[in-house]
Amino acid sequence: MMKTLTLTLRTSLALILLVVVYQLVVTGIAQAFMPGKADGSLVYDANHQLIGSELIGQSFTSPALFHGRISSIDYNAASSGTPNYAPSNLEMIQRTEEAVRAWEKENPQVPVSKLPIDLVTNSGSGLDPDISVAAAEVQIPRVSANTGIPADQLQELVDQHTKGRELGLFSEPVVNVLLLNLDVQQAAAGK
């Protein structure tokens, strides 16, 4: 019995040390070769004030900025995940109809038939920082009207912030809303 207990304790201690050493090695390698990503892809302004992370969406409601996806968790990373509603769920239908009405009010120059679905639905985590290229492009008329930035200049910004497919094959091209909006604010300030 004592022999088994000693073996169990030694094995447990060895595994605990292995796990701790593994985490330290992986963290050290990440910090050495890609410190920005290892720290959470944080974004700072010119005064080195933290603005956010490239990896977590934020709520942008100003008509002068591009808007991201809806988040039923209010972009709270501590409670990642969204309700897994079926398309027939009444709460989801109501929320989607409200989002469409808000779109019509804020973007009268763009018909609902041109509204990409990602602007009125959640992502799986509720934290998605990216929107489709189409979702960015349909917002250009509103942002242009509210900032005075010409539409072709906004299109250039969207193009600059478009991230292609992963490994050239997987996913769809997307636009990071936070990074795009930072450049929109900079362009608007330079006017």
Side-chain angles (χ1 to χ4, degrees):
M1 169 88 168
M2 192 60 151
K3 190 175 181 180
T4 304
L5 183 60
T6 303
L7 180 61
T8 302
L9 288 174
R10 284 183 182 173
T11 304
S12 296
L13 183 60
L15 289 174
I16 289 170
L17 288 174
L18 180 66
V19 168
V20 169
V21 169
Y22 172 78
Q23 288 179 348
L24 290 173
V25 168
V26 169
T27 301
I29 291 170
Q31 285 292 334
F33 292 105
M34 48 187 162
K37 288 185 178 189
D39 290 337
S41 300
L42 301 177
V43 178
Y44 296 90
D45 66 10
N47 299 322
H48 204 66
Q49 295 294 317
L50 179 63
I51 296 172
S53 169
E54 292 180 36
L55 306 175
I56 298 177
Q58 295 183 20
S59 177
F60 294 102
T61 57
S62 168
L65 296 173
F66 287 85
H67 298 175
R69 295 189 75 159
I70 293 172
S71 175
S72 59
I73 60 169
D74 204 27
Y75 297 104
N76 180 355
S79 60
S80 175
T82 60
N84 191 15
Y85 292 144
S88 59
N89 181 280
L90 294 178
E91 187 178 329
M92 183 174 141
I93 292 169
Q94 180 183 14
R95 186 182 69 215
T96 303
E97 288 172 347
E98 288 172 7
V100 169
R101 283 193 297 276
W103 171 265
E104 291 174 316
K105 181 180 175 186
E106 295 173 359
N107 302 277
Q109 62 277 51
V110 180
V112 172
S113 62
K114 302 279 186 193
L115 175 60
I117 194 71
D118 56 323
L119 288 178
V120 293
T121 58
N122 283 335
S123 65
S125 67
L127 300 172
D128 198 340
D130 303 318
I131 55 175
S132 65
V133 176
E137 290 175 340
V138 298
Q139 296 182 68
I140 288 175
R142 173 181 41 81
V143 175
S144 179
N146 286 285
T147 60
I149 301 171
D152 59 338
Q153 185 179 350
L154 288 171
Q155 181 64 56
E156 287 176 20
L157 291 176
V158 168
D159 293 343
Q160 289 172 13
H161 288 284
T162 298
K163 182 176 125 188
R165 297 173 186 266
E166 298 292 330
L167 302 175
L169 298 169
F170 305 107
S171 74
E172 293 297 318
V174 293
V175 177
N176 186 288
V177 181
L178 172 61
L179 299 179
L180 175 60
N181 280 336
L182 290 174
D183 279 356
V184 167
Q185 290 173 327
Q186 186 175 14
K191 287 192 72 55

